[in-house]
Amino acid sequence: MKVAGAPISWGVCEVPGWGYQLDAGRVLREMRAVGLVATEFGPDGFLPGYVDERETLLAGHGLAPVGGFVPVVLHDPDHDPLAEAGRALDLFGAARTLVLAAATGRAGYDARPRLDALGWRVLLRNLDRLASYAAARGVAATLHPHVGTMVERRDEVRRVLDGAGIPLCLDTGHLLVGGSDPAVLARALPRRIAHVHLKDVDAGLAERVRAGRVTYTDAVKAGMYRPLGQGDVDVAGIVAALTRAGYDGWYVMEQDTVLAVPPPEGAGPVADVAASLKYLESL
């Protein structure tokens, strides 16, 4: 397995006011300390804004670049997302995976509009445009179904699978929160999966988010995302199904969290990531 980290596991997030943001030096140092060898980039501003500086920083911590999560408005007929995607790809360097999310255009993930027929046509067309654009630059684009974006619920994921050719980033947590079963997708459609974000989830909190009884942000604060093996996602079944299908992409460790204060050195999010890695090694 190719296992990478992600800054969101340390509470580093693009959402304004998400929580205390740890600096890159500590996050990268702790990634390497638990044995990770690669990472996604994290939000704008977390890593340096020049390719050579970014890759030098990662290499100094023994980490390779995997790619990045890029939320882009895809459904607006008056907005061309190619420029945003291009700016993100300009910083990819050796990274080869673009993880797109169908952004709403609003800050945060606690509310979203619903798409009309025109919005769906534009979104699906833009997904394939961006996949072709990224491929021409040597990068594989994937779509990340994500709570609080235009592609969240099970019917919306199916609409993308039926209406566009772009592969999925199988985020085991966001899919479950949105009402999909990631294990079913891994078994039924492994050829449509080109990237994996591994999360475990408290299904009770996920159901409350889905029903609108608690916001996504408050559920994350309450511990909706659990270390692998400590929640309700069939992580072992997902890994087994993808392995049988010959999946050779990255598994990115993601247990989204919100920090109120900086944790003591060696404590906090790094302990959850270490527990998740230990669980993966046991499979």
Side-chain angles (χ1 to χ4, degrees):
M1 295 176 69
K2 297 190 298 186
V3 182
I8 187 62
S9 295
W10 278 259
V12 179
C13 184
E14 70 279 358
V15 176
W18 181 257
Y20 182 85
Q21 301 291 289
L22 291 170
D23 65 85
R26 174 168 177 179
V27 173
L28 300 179
R29 185 170 66 252
E30 291 188 348
M31 283 185 181
R32 194 66 190 97
V34 296
L36 293 169
V37 297
T39 183
E40 288 189 3
F41 292 135
D44 286 347
F46 177 66
L47 294 178
Y50 296 94
V51 173
D52 54 349
E53 293 180 11
R54 178 175 290 196
E55 294 191 340
T56 297
L57 177 62
L58 293 178
H61 288 85
L63 297 167
V66 170
F69 173 73
V70 181
V72 183
V73 173
L74 299 170
H75 63 279
D76 185 347
D78 298 320
H79 176 74
D80 189 345
L82 285 184
E84 291 173 75
R87 287 192 294 271
L89 291 173
D90 287 343
L91 295 175
F92 264 44
R96 288 292 173 262
T97 305
L98 173 63
V99 183
L100 293 167
T104 63
R106 305 173 180 178
Y109 299 116
D110 290 334
R112 64 177 190 141
R114 299 300 291 268
L115 285 182
D116 58 16
L118 173 61
W120 270 108
R121 287 197 300 272
V122 173
L123 185 148
L124 294 172
R125 183 172 66 247
N126 277 328
L127 283 174
D128 284 339
R129 287 179 67 219
L130 286 173
S132 296
Y133 176 70
R137 300 184 60 165
V139 174
T142 65
L143 175 70
H144 184 330
H146 193 295
V147 174
T149 69
M150 309 311 293
V151 182
E152 170 188 324
R153 301 294 178 123
R154 181 169 55 187
D155 62 313
E156 295 161 350
V157 175
R158 172 52 62 182
R159 197 159 183 173
V160 169
L161 289 169
D162 291 343
I166 192 169
L168 292 183
C169 168
L170 187 84
D171 186 296
T172 60
H174 281 278
L175 283 164
L176 189 144
V177 177
S180 297
D181 186 333
V184 169
L185 284 171
R187 290 193 300 269
L189 297 167
R191 302 301 179 191
R192 289 298 299 271
I193 296 166
H195 196 57
V196 177
H197 285 175
L198 282 178
K199 293 181 174 71
D200 214 337
V201 179
D202 180 314
L205 276 169
E207 193 281 328
R208 293 181 64 197
V209 174
R210 198 159 48 247
R213 295 197 297 271
V214 64
T215 68
Y216 176 75
T217 303
D218 285 343
V220 176
K221 289 178 180 178
M224 179 170 65
Y225 292 122
R226 309 293 304 141
L228 299 183
Q230 298 182 28
D232 298 297
V233 173
D234 182 11
V235 177
I238 290 166
V239 171
L242 293 178
T243 300
R244 285 194 301 270
Y247 175 76
D248 63 353
W250 287 96
Y251 291 90
V252 179
M253 308 294 299
E254 279 202 343
Q255 291 78 44
D256 300 20
T257 190
V258 179
L259 298 179
V261 296
E265 285 286 339
V270 66
D272 285 346
V273 176
S276 292
L277 285 169
K278 184 176 181 179
Y279 174 79
L280 277 185
E281 291 168 359
S282 75
L283 294 182

